[in-house]
Amino acid sequence: MSRPEARLRKVPLSPLVILARAQWYPLWGTHFAEADFLASLAAAAPFTRVVAFRVPAGDLGILEGFANGVANLTDWDNLTWQVRLNGTAIPMLQSIQGPLGVMPDPIELSIPLRGGHLIEVMVRNNSGVAITNPTALILGRTFAPDLPDLFLE
C-alpha cells in the first residue's frame, strides 16, 4: 500500500505575508530614493513638505530609511520634523527634534506601504528667522503583490 503523495495547494498570499517575505529578500522590487530640500523656510512657517513619494497603484512597498539635514547646525533647535503617511504623522516620527539619520547613513525603518500611499517628510520652523536648506531623504522599495513563492516551489 503506497502512501498518497502530499500535495500543496497554492493559495493567494495576503499582503502582510508578502511584505514579511520581502523583508528577507532585499533585491525584490524597485528601489526608490527621494531627496529634496527647501531653499528657505520662512520664519514661524507651519509644517511644509520637503520630499514625498507615492507608491504606484496596485503595488506594495516598504519604507526602509529616513534622514534629515540642515545647512547650519544651530538650526536644529528651531525645526520640528514629521514623517507622514497619507497626511497623518507616523507614530514615533511625528515630532522629531534634531538629526535622525544622515544622508550617507539614514536610519533604518520597516514601515509597510500599499498602492497609492503617500509618504511625506514635513518640517516646521519654530523660530523667528528664516532657515535655509532643510533637507530630507526617504528610501524604500515597491513591488508587485505577486512575488514568487520561494517556500512552496
Side-chain angles (χ1 to χ4, degrees), residues 65-101:
F66 166 77
N68 57 352
V70 294
N72 185 345
L73 295 179
T74 61
D75 290 337
W76 281 121
D77 294 338
N78 299 317
L79 296 175
T80 302
W81 300 79
Q82 287 185 344
V83 180
R84 294 182 180 179
L85 175 61
N86 292 333
T88 303
I90 296 172
M92 299 183 64
L93 297 173
Q94 77 270 20
S95 184
I96 302 165
Q97 300 285 320
L100 192 59

Side-chain angles (χ1 to χ4, degrees), residues 24-148:
W24 295 103
Y25 299 96
L27 298 179
W28 277 352
T30 303
H31 292 264
F32 66 85
E34 299 290 328
D36 208 347
F37 69 97
L38 300 174
S40 180
L41 185 61
F47 277 107
T48 305
R49 180 192 294 178
V50 180
V51 67
F53 177 79
R54 185 175 298 277
V55 178
D59 281 1
L60 298 174
I62 301 172
L63 178 62
E64 297 178 316
F66 166 77
N68 57 352
V70 294
N72 185 345
L73 295 179
T74 61
D75 290 337
W76 281 121
D77 294 338
N78 299 317
L79 296 175
T80 302
W81 300 79
Q82 287 185 344
V83 180
R84 294 182 180 179
L85 175 61
N86 292 333
T88 303
I90 296 172
M92 299 183 64
L93 297 173
Q94 77 270 20
S95 184
I96 302 165
Q97 300 285 320
L100 192 59
V102 292
M103 295 303 163
D105 188 22
I107 65 160
E108 292 183 15
L109 301 171
S110 184
I111 298 173
L113 305 170
R114 289 183 177 259
H117 277 178
L118 176 65
I119 294 291
E120 302 171 287
V121 176
M122 310 290 282
V123 64
R124 179 178 66 205
N125 184 350
N126 304 316
S127 75
V129 297
I131 294 177
T132 58
N133 299 325
T135 306
L137 165 72
I138 51 178
L139 302 170
R141 287 180 291 141
T142 62
F143 39 86
D146 58 352
L147 291 174

